[in-house]
Amino acid sequence: ASLEERCNRILRDMEGSLTARDRVGIQDFVLLDAYTSESAVLDNLRKRFNENLIYTYIGTLLVSVNPYKELGIYTKKQMDIYMGVNFFELPPHIYALADNVYRTMLTETNNHFILISGESGAGKTEASKKILQFYAVSCPSTKLLDNVRDRLLLSNPVLEAFGNAKTLKNDNSSRFGKYMDIQFDHMGGAVGGHILSYLLEKSRVVHQNHGERSFHIFYQLVEGGEEDLLRWLGLERNCQCYSYLVQGECAKVSSVNDKSDWKTVRKALSVIEFSESNIESLFAIIASVLHLGNVTFVADSQGYATLNNSPEIHWLSKLLGIPAQVIQVGLTHRKIEARSEEVLSPFTVDQAVYAKDALAKAIYGRTFTWLVNELNESLANKDSSRKTVIGLLDIYGFEVFSVNSFEQFCINYCNEKLQQLFIQLTLKSEQEEYEMEGIEWESVPYFNNKIICDLVEAKFKGIISVLDEECLRPGEATDMTFLEKLEEKMGGHAHFVTHKLADQKTRKTLERGDFRLLHYAGEVTYKIFHLQVMRQSKNAIVKHCFPSTEPDSKKRPETVATQFKSSLVGLTEILMSKEPWYVRCMKPNEGKKPGLFDDVLVRHQVKYLGLMEHLRVRRAGFAYRRRYEIFLQRYKPLCPDTWPNWKGTAAEGVECLVKHLGYKPDEYKMGRTKIFIRHPRTLFATEDAFEVCKHELATRIQAKYKGYRVKGDYMRQRQAATKIETCWRGMKARREREKRAWAVKVIKRFIKGFMTRNQPACVDNTEYLAFVRQNYLTRLKENLPKTVVDKNTWLTPPPIMQEASQMLRKLYTRHMVRRYVQGIMTERKAQLQIKGLTSSIFKGTKENYPHSVGIPFVDTRISKPHTFPQYSVPVVKYDRNGFRPRFRQLIYTGSAAYLVEEAKIKQRVEFNNLKGVSVSTLSDNFLILHVQCEDIKQKGDLVLQCDYLFEALTKLCLVANKHNFIKVVQGSVKFDIQPGREGFVDFKSGQETMIYRAKNGHLMVVSMKLKTVWPFNSQNEQIHFLNYY
Ligand SMILES: Nc1ncnc2c1ncn2[C@@H]1O[C@H](COP(=O)(O)OP(=O)(O)O)[C@@H](O)[C@H]1O
Ligand SMILES: [Mg+2]
């Protein structure tokens, strides 16, 4: 799986570069056709640098050019963009590399390291910080993990304070090599860390070149330290007071703020959980170095160094906890072990100064080591579960100065080792892939620097071996004897030259005391090392300070070189077990200026960083490889046989495709699962063809796709419509069915109810009957009779409502009557009462009575009413003899009725004397007043005809206060003409009204038969009458 992933990585690498190659320059040098040309590489770097594109790949190696300005490409947003995205899909970036390493580690659960190299000031430390920051943001976060993350991040300012200094090249130059492990759990959370430091430049403590400073921490302490602390340490707040701080004559640097850096460091120290007592001791030692620097010696009479009772000794004694006496002796004497005895031999002033400086360096060096150990203690993850790590190696690249000393030798040796590591790891993986694919391994034309490594480190034969021997050899070893030894041993080695060994031409460039190594990155000429420096100093004071760490004195002491060699071997072991990733940093100019690209300087770095070698190894063999499936998938549109689908195996498809494209046989090889293409240009041609083809295809696919989409939409809509329709119909049908079922039930119940309606109340008929009742009552409500006389409109009730109907009808009638009665006026009431009386007299007796009902009664019928107020009406009086009609007025007073002719009373009838009144049953208007006649002089009964018969008679009843004296007589009425003499009025019906004296001497009254028959009872008559109004 790991190999597979690696292959994929390479593939992605290619693809990304292909699509991006049209941008500024190319993003990946592997695809540079002129990959052996330094100028082409340089051109590409320059082109990109001018567009602020500081990153470029060589495969998975990242080349970074220091922009010396803020580019705004390290924001949280940028981090998000690069998180979890395929390496080559985005422009090259340090985050892409960091993310890719992290993801590979998680998927392959193996260990990785990122080697960051470059000259001082090229941006290595910045790059490593960027990587750390990226992990701090992108890794999973919990409270616990955040704590680790903070410690990891804060270990940086602490290490930088103690290990960085301002140099001419870099205001914050790391003066040590640093390897930092970040440990991750299986979920990708950062759970711990470990730091290894290499080659701290201790000499800086006692000496700085002009324009440079000692380590930051000294200045931070003096500038930023709290008053109390400084007093306790015996320090002044003035860097000028300390000779170790003013060697370079630039204690102040504009780009560095010592005061605020001090605060950062103090805060970091407490977060990392340094105890207060440890912090105190730490600064006591730092202060003691400053005091030591101010110690001066004077020569005594014999020329030996003595201390004049300087206050520094007091402070040193206090801060280091060593008796002043021991310090005094230690600083001025060398201890010589002779057999079992220790002999003190005094120093000259020069020797004492040298010893003092050596002491300061040793103290500082060991303090730094202690600090790193403390940091490791704090970063350590005590959990024993399996972890994977990403190592960050921030170490100087090749250093070449006009004068190169032992330090440069170590650094360059280190780079030589790292190059060897790279070759081994890269070639190994290449070879593995070739073997897997069954492709013949072709030897690659690159330079293997193993020979140089051997030259330096080989046992017994290597430079370091020789050096050790010379240092430890008893007797007088000098620098020159060392050189001679080297010449003796290395003579003839292709990569080693000295003045003596060199040919005529080369000799001119070499001093006698120099030797030259031909490193893989170029030649470097070293000054022969001072053996004095190589030897490990043994100092009584150091022993006091660091008793337990002092190496076993019985053991053969190691030289600095051997120590370094073994630490490098250790480092190589650490790295060999991990997957390598590379960041190569470069600086564009020496002046720390933005936007300035110094061709000479960059060309120099391209060379010394081994970029060309790296590129060559990367390009050895085949530049491009890709799984058949993927290759076919991408390029199949280029061949009619493979487009749109290839039926056979992918390998056959690819074969067919490349034949069609015209690949030459030596341009590619078919592996087991992959095609290998030798030159990028072959691939570019294919890619260009694909680019053209893609546009055509895109248009076609677009059209197809659009059609497909539209059709799809249409189908979906239609389906949806059908579905909705079906659902709707179903629902309607269900509702209809429910309604029908319900109706059937209701109808059934109705029929059953109907059939059982006459049975006593039971389950079957209650509902029906309730319905019938309600229905009847509702209908009745809407169809109530409007008036009392309206007899036919009362709704016929169903049988069960018979009784209720009757009661209701009665109630309602009464209600109507009451309403009516309440509504009528007093006059009307009186009128009606009179009419009632009339009715009681004549109803059913006299034929023309009904006609009178509708005509209201008045109080007088005479136009000019007399003083008699009661009643008056015109009448026709028939003579008792001869029955001649005469017009008269009949007037009632309170006591009598008068028959009057134009104000002349013809007859007066006392009501007391009124015996009765006779009328016929027929339609005539005759009335006969029967009068009591005791006196002959008195006139007899009155035969009268009155148009207002009923009125007149009713009034009479009222006025005379007589009841039952009106007789309705059938046939003829007998009356008294005179007392004792009778007359008759005969009544009969006929065709026309006639009144005449019949032959028998009777008055014959013929009245017309009235057709109207009155069916009403008395009540109705009244109502009927009322309706006339
Ligand atoms: N990516 C970068 N962007 C902006 N400035 C940078 C970048 N890398 C480095 N620098 C500048 O260059 C200076 C030196 O970088 P540094 O990482 O300390 O160099 P090195 O560790 O290689 O000696 C930094 O202090 C910073 O000002
Ligand atoms: Mg650095």
Side-chain angles (χ1 to χ4, degrees):
S2 141
L3 201 66
E4 180 73 7
E5 232 332 281
R6 207 179 306 139
C7 299
N8 285 342
R9 212 155 65 212
I10 296 162
L11 292 184
R12 274 187 259 128
D13 147 350
M14 298 293 176
E15 195 170 352
S17 307
L18 286 177
T19 50
R21 77 196 157 100
D22 291 332
R23 299 187 202 150
V24 182
I26 51 168
Q27 295 187 358
D28 192 339
F29 284 117
V30 170
L31 298 176
L32 197 66
D33 235 359
Y35 68 96
T36 50
S37 154
E38 226 170 61
S39 303
V41 170
L42 201 67
D43 283 348
N44 192 45
L45 277 177
R46 192 192 312 104
K47 222 192 269 177
R48 291 174 64 75
F49 179 80
N50 288 339
E51 297 295 326
N52 282 333
L53 299 167
I54 60 164
Y55 294 121
T56 310
Y57 294 133
I58 304 177
T60 51
L61 176 146
L62 180 74
V63 179
S64 159
V65 185
N66 190 343
Y68 284 120
K69 63 178 173 190
E70 294 302 323
L71 293 179
I73 55 171
Y74 304 109
T75 57
K76 169 81 173 54
K77 206 171 147 200
Q78 281 281 323
M79 291 186 187
D80 290 340
I81 289 173
Y82 279 92
M83 247 177 251
V85 174
N86 269 346
F87 193 50
F88 293 98
E89 279 175 21
L90 292 168
H93 199 292
I94 187 91
Y95 292 159
L97 182 101
D99 187 70
N100 198 25
V101 179
Y102 180 69
R103 310 244 158 239
T104 314
M105 174 196 73
L106 281 183
T107 48
E108 296 179 5
T109 47
N110 55 2
N111 300 322
H112 297 255
F113 72 89
I114 303 172
L115 168 57
I116 307 167
S117 54
E119 269 191 36
S120 180
K124 300 179 296 292
T125 306
E126 289 297 321
S128 77
K129 282 195 259 185
K130 299 276 152 34
I131 293 172
L132 207 59
Q133 280 159 5
F134 180 79
Y135 291 146
V137 171
S138 66
C139 288
S141 159
T142 65
K143 214 170 169 119
L144 201 75
L145 291 177
D146 287 354
N147 189 2
V148 177
R149 183 193 64 194
D150 290 346
R151 287 172 185 218
L152 280 169
L153 286 175
L154 285 175
S155 68
N156 250 331
V158 175
L159 270 182
E160 286 193 3
F162 286 86
N164 287 24
K166 179 213 183 307
T167 65
L168 284 175
K169 298 185 171 191
N170 183 353
D171 290 349
N172 181 33
S173 181
S174 327
R175 304 318 297 165
F176 64 108
K178 181 176 135 192
Y179 174 79
M180 182 182 198
D181 257 352
I182 312 165
Q183 299 157 356
F184 297 88
D185 62 14
H186 67 286
M187 300 287 288
V191 291
H194 189 83
I195 297 164
L196 289 172
S197 69
Y198 297 95
L199 280 179
L200 178 71
E201 188 195 37
K202 285 176 288 195
S203 61
R204 184 165 295 275
V205 174
V206 298
H207 177 77
Q208 304 100 39
N209 289 327
H210 189 86
E212 302 198 345
R213 296 208 308 181
S214 185
F215 296 100
H216 293 323
I217 189 64
F218 293 112
Y219 304 90
Q220 289 172 2
L221 175 63
V222 172
E223 289 290 330
E226 298 75 16
E227 288 298 334
D228 283 354
L229 179 65
L230 290 192
R231 206 172 307 122
W232 182 74
L233 297 172
L235 294 181
E236 304 273 327
R237 189 182 296 290
N238 183 0
C239 296
Q240 300 306 321
C241 298
Y242 301 101
S243 78
Y244 277 170
L245 301 187
V246 293
Q247 310 270 309
E249 290 171 33
C250 93
K252 277 250 182 305
V253 190
S254 64
S255 65
V256 177
N257 185 339
D258 291 315
K259 266 199 192 108
S260 74
D261 288 350
W262 166 259
K263 292 211 179 79
T264 312
V265 170
R266 281 306 311 251
K267 204 171 139 238
L269 283 175
S270 57
V271 170
I272 299 167
E273 282 176 357
F274 272 58
S275 69
E276 272 309 309
S277 71
N278 270 347
I279 295 176
E280 247 173 37
S281 311
L282 181 62
F283 291 122
I285 294 175
I286 298 303
S288 72
V289 171
L290 293 180
H291 287 303
L292 197 57
N294 284 0
V295 168
T296 48
F297 302 96
V298 285
D300 67 4
S301 53
Q302 289 162 313
Y304 293 129
T306 57
L307 287 156
N308 39 359
N309 237 354
S310 52
E312 283 80 22
I313 302 300
H314 157 73
W315 284 110
L316 280 170
S317 164
K318 180 194 160 190
L319 296 174
L320 296 177
I322 305 169
Q325 185 60 30
V326 175
I327 296 178
Q328 217 148 358
V329 174
L331 282 174
T332 49
H333 295 82
R334 180 207 298 255
K335 206 186 272 176
I336 300 169
E337 282 172 44
R339 301 213 179 85
S340 57
E341 266 177 287
E342 282 190 348
V343 181
L344 288 176
S345 128
F347 284 139
T348 62
V349 171
D350 281 354
Q351 282 172 332
V353 169
Y354 185 84
K356 175 192 81 172
D357 287 350
L359 176 63
K361 290 194 282 185
I363 290 177
Y364 193 80
R366 280 157 197 257
T367 306
F368 189 76
T369 309
W370 172 85
L371 184 79
V372 171
N373 289 341
E374 283 297 301
L375 285 176
N376 284 335
E377 190 67 25
S378 160
L379 293 175
N381 180 273
K382 274 108 195 165
D383 179 3
S384 64
S385 69
R386 203 182 153 208
K387 284 167 216 73
T388 49
V389 307
I390 294 176
L392 289 178
L393 183 58
D394 168 5
I395 204 154
Y396 343 78
F398 255 95
E399 275 191 359
V400 188
F401 300 114
S402 49
V403 178
N404 300 287
S405 62
F406 177 66
E407 256 155 20
Q408 275 72 48
F409 172 78
C410 287
I411 290 164
N412 292 345
Y413 164 48
C414 171
N415 277 282
E416 223 34 276
K417 286 290 277 182
L418 293 171
Q419 173 68 8
Q420 181 61 41
L421 188 78
F422 158 70
I423 288 172
Q424 283 174 8
L425 292 175
T426 312
L427 292 183
K428 203 173 103 224
S429 71
E430 283 279 302
Q431 189 158 7
E432 273 170 5
E433 179 162 31
Y434 281 14
E435 264 164 31
M436 261 219 354
E437 288 293 325
I439 286 185
E440 220 174 288
W441 173 251
E442 299 173 32
S443 62
V444 174
Y446 71 93
F447 171 66
N448 189 342
N449 71 336
K450 185 159 188 314
I451 183 169
I452 303 170
C453 291
D454 290 345
L455 176 68
V456 177
E457 66 184 7
K459 270 193 183 140
F460 311 121
K461 304 184 294 206
I463 295 173
I464 292 176
S465 265
V466 175
L467 185 58
D468 278 7
E469 229 162 80
E470 275 302 293
C471 284
L472 302 170
R473 177 169 67 92
E476 276 307 296
T478 65
D479 305 344
M480 285 323 283
T481 56
F482 171 50
L483 187 63
E484 278 162 22
K485 257 285 173 33
L486 282 181
E487 282 169 339
E488 188 184 307
K489 289 250 176 171
M490 313 296 158
H493 195 291
H495 295 269
F496 180 85
V497 199
T498 62
H499 183 84
K500 197 174 122 193
L501 298 173
D503 58 27
Q504 205 75 39
K505 200 176 137 215
T506 324
R507 188 168 287 170
K508 283 182 193 146
T509 61
L510 270 168
E511 299 279 324
R512 268 180 206 284
D514 294 346
F515 68 92
R516 179 176 292 168
L517 290 184
L518 277 69
H519 288 289
Y520 83 94
E523 303 173 347
V524 183
T525 308
Y526 300 96
K527 229 174 144 64
I528 194 71
F529 314 142
H530 288 297
L531 294 188
Q532 179 74 22
V533 179
M534 298 302 118
R535 297 195 181 100
Q536 277 291 338
S537 58
K538 275 197 275 175
N539 185 297
I541 299 170
V542 175
K543 212 170 192 171
H544 257 285
C545 294
F546 310 96
S548 60
T549 55
E550 196 61 9
D552 189 353
S553 59
K554 296 279 174 312
K555 232 178 98 186
R556 190 179 129 123
E558 279 185 324
T559 62
V560 179
T562 308
Q563 275 183 8
F564 183 58
K565 183 182 142 189
S566 31
S567 70
L568 268 192
V569 170
L571 178 64
T572 317
E573 271 164 22
I574 291 172
L575 300 183
M576 270 307 258
S577 63
K578 297 180 170 68
E579 297 280 319
W581 302 79
Y582 306 91
V583 179
R584 299 279 196 242
C585 298
M586 284 192 234
K587 49 197 219 178
N589 59 71
E590 287 285 9
K592 307 171 195 172
K593 285 199 194 75
L596 184 64
F597 192 91
D598 179 341
D599 276 8
V600 176
L601 185 70
V602 178
R603 188 186 285 268
H604 180 83
Q605 291 171 89
V606 166
K607 196 168 167 194
Y608 286 91
L609 283 172
L611 291 193
M612 298 314 293
E613 277 304 308
H614 191 106
L615 186 52
R616 217 167 280 146
V617 172
R618 272 249 159 239
R619 279 289 302 270
F622 298 92
Y624 179 86
R625 67 216 61 188
R626 174 90 51 112
R627 285 183 70 87
Y628 288 133
E629 290 80 11
I630 298 167
F631 187 86
L632 185 64
Q633 186 61 33
R634 185 173 178 84
Y635 297 117
K636 66 182 181 179
L638 294 177
C639 168
D641 292 338
T642 51
W643 176 256
N645 286 308
W646 174 255
K647 296 282 184 303
T649 64
E652 287 162 3
V654 171
E655 189 83 62
C656 170
L657 180 61
V658 298
K659 287 242 168 67
H660 179 80
L661 291 172
Y663 281 21
K664 305 251 158 44
D666 64 333
E667 279 180 343
Y668 72 99
K669 274 231 164 69
M670 303 290 284
R672 283 202 185 92
T673 63
K674 287 175 189 165
I675 177 170
F676 289 73
I677 295 171
R678 197 177 297 277
H679 308 294
R681 61 171 177 272
T682 313
L683 188 70
F684 287 156
T686 312
E687 184 65 18
D688 286 342
F690 176 61
E691 203 63 29
V692 174
C693 171
K694 213 159 65 173
H695 285 293
E696 289 166 18
L697 279 178
T699 329
R700 259 159 63 193
I701 291 170
Q702 206 175 36
K704 263 256 153 49
Y705 179 69
K706 273 185 188 155
Y708 164 79
R709 276 284 294 271
V710 172
K711 198 172 160 193
D713 280 352
Y714 169 73
M715 295 299 274
R716 265 198 305 282
Q717 279 174 6
R718 209 175 65 172
Q719 269 174 13
T722 320
K723 195 154 194 174
I724 292 170
E725 219 171 60
T726 320
C727 287
W728 176 246
R729 284 217 190 105
M731 196 195 67
K732 262 177 68 172
R734 271 194 302 281
R735 269 196 197 162
E736 184 65 28
R737 198 186 57 209
E738 279 164 21
K739 219 161 111 182
R740 274 163 194 255
W742 174 80
V744 165
K745 241 171 29 200
V746 169
I747 292 168
K748 261 191 196 159
R749 278 212 312 271
F750 192 84
I751 293 170
K752 217 163 191 181
F754 177 76
M755 288 183 331
T756 55
R757 69 189 182 282
N758 293 325
Q759 293 166 14
C762 63
V763 195
D764 288 337
N765 65 9
T766 25
E767 210 182 344
Y768 174 79
L769 292 180
F771 167 75
V772 167
R773 263 184 223 115
Q774 196 194 350
N775 184 33
Y776 174 70
L777 289 177
T778 348
R779 278 196 302 128
L780 185 62
K781 190 181 101 188
E782 278 151 16
N783 295 300
L784 282 171
K786 300 279 182 295
T787 62
V788 188
V789 286
D790 192 359
K791 287 210 142 179
N792 294 325
T793 44
W794 191 259
L795 223 61
T796 323
I800 47 153
M801 294 293 281
Q802 214 78 47
E803 196 186 342
S805 167
Q806 255 165 35
M807 282 156 78
L808 279 173
R809 189 171 185 169
K810 222 181 246 167
L811 273 173
Y812 188 66
T813 311
R814 223 182 277 163
H815 162 74
M816 281 195 298
V817 169
R818 194 180 307 120
R819 205 173 55 189
Y820 174 75
V821 168
Q822 275 168 358
I824 55 178
M825 309 284 111
T826 358
E827 287 157 41
R828 285 266 293 292
K829 194 174 164 190
Q831 184 69 249
L832 285 172
Q833 277 168 343
I834 301 172
K835 282 281 183 177
L837 183 59
T838 321
S839 163
S840 65
I841 302 164
F842 294 105
K843 192 188 143 207
T845 51
K846 187 157 168 64
E847 195 181 80
N848 63 343
Y849 163 71
H851 286 283
S852 78
V853 171
I855 303 157
F857 295 161
V858 298
D859 285 344
T860 179
R861 294 286 175 187
I862 298 165
S863 47
K864 270 194 182 160
H866 291 266
T867 47
F868 306 101
Q870 299 293 8
Y871 183 67
S872 56
V873 69
V875 293
V876 178
K877 180 206 161 216
Y878 290 89
D879 286 350
R880 275 155 297 239
N881 302 308
F883 296 118
R884 223 143 355 123
R886 313 213 185 256
F887 291 100
R888 294 286 184 269
Q889 285 105 40
L890 179 65
I891 293 169
Y892 305 149
T893 69
S895 55
Y898 298 84
L899 201 64
V900 177
E901 189 206 358
E902 293 175 357
K904 196 166 134 202
I905 299 172
K906 289 289 181 181
Q907 191 171 347
R908 179 171 182 265
V909 180
E910 292 272 352
F911 289 146
N912 288 339
N913 296 331
L914 193 60
K915 281 192 305 194
V917 184
S918 295
V919 293
S920 77
T921 60
L922 300 176
S923 293
D924 58 81
N925 290 328
F926 277 73
L927 66 159
I928 296 112
L929 303 180
H930 301 284
V931 186
Q932 179 87 41
C933 288
E934 285 121 23
D935 194 340
I936 199 90
K937 281 184 243 161
Q938 266 183 19
K939 292 176 180 172
D941 294 348
L942 284 167
V943 177
L944 301 174
Q945 189 191 14
C946 178
D947 288 347
Y948 304 96
L949 180 80
F950 298 101
E951 183 182 275
L953 286 176
T954 311
K955 293 278 185 182
L956 183 60
C957 286
L958 288 173
V959 175
N961 199 23
K962 295 205 173 182
H963 304 282
N964 309 323
F965 79 129
I966 295 171
K967 286 182 198 77
V968 185
V969 182
Q970 209 152 15
S972 56
V973 175
K974 191 176 91 178
F975 70 94
D976 293 339
I977 298 168
Q978 272 171 346
R981 191 176 149 214
E982 289 174 339
F984 287 91
V985 184
D986 293 340
F987 295 98
K988 75 170 189 191
S989 291
Q991 288 304 312
E992 53 180 343
T993 308
M994 278 187 301
I995 300 151
Y996 57 93
R997 191 168 178 268
K999 284 177 186 140
N1000 60 359
H1002 293 185
L1003 181 64
M1004 175 57 73
V1005 177
V1006 183
S1007 56
M1008 260 180 347
K1009 180 86 182 158
L1010 283 175
K1011 277 165 205 135
T1012 326
V1013 178
W1014 292 78
F1016 312 122
N1017 57 27
S1018 63
Q1019 209 172 14
N1020 280 342
E1021 261 176 65
Q1022 214 167 16
I1023 303 299
H1024 185 70
F1025 157 72
L1026 293 170
N1027 280 343
Y1028 282 99
Y1029 292 85

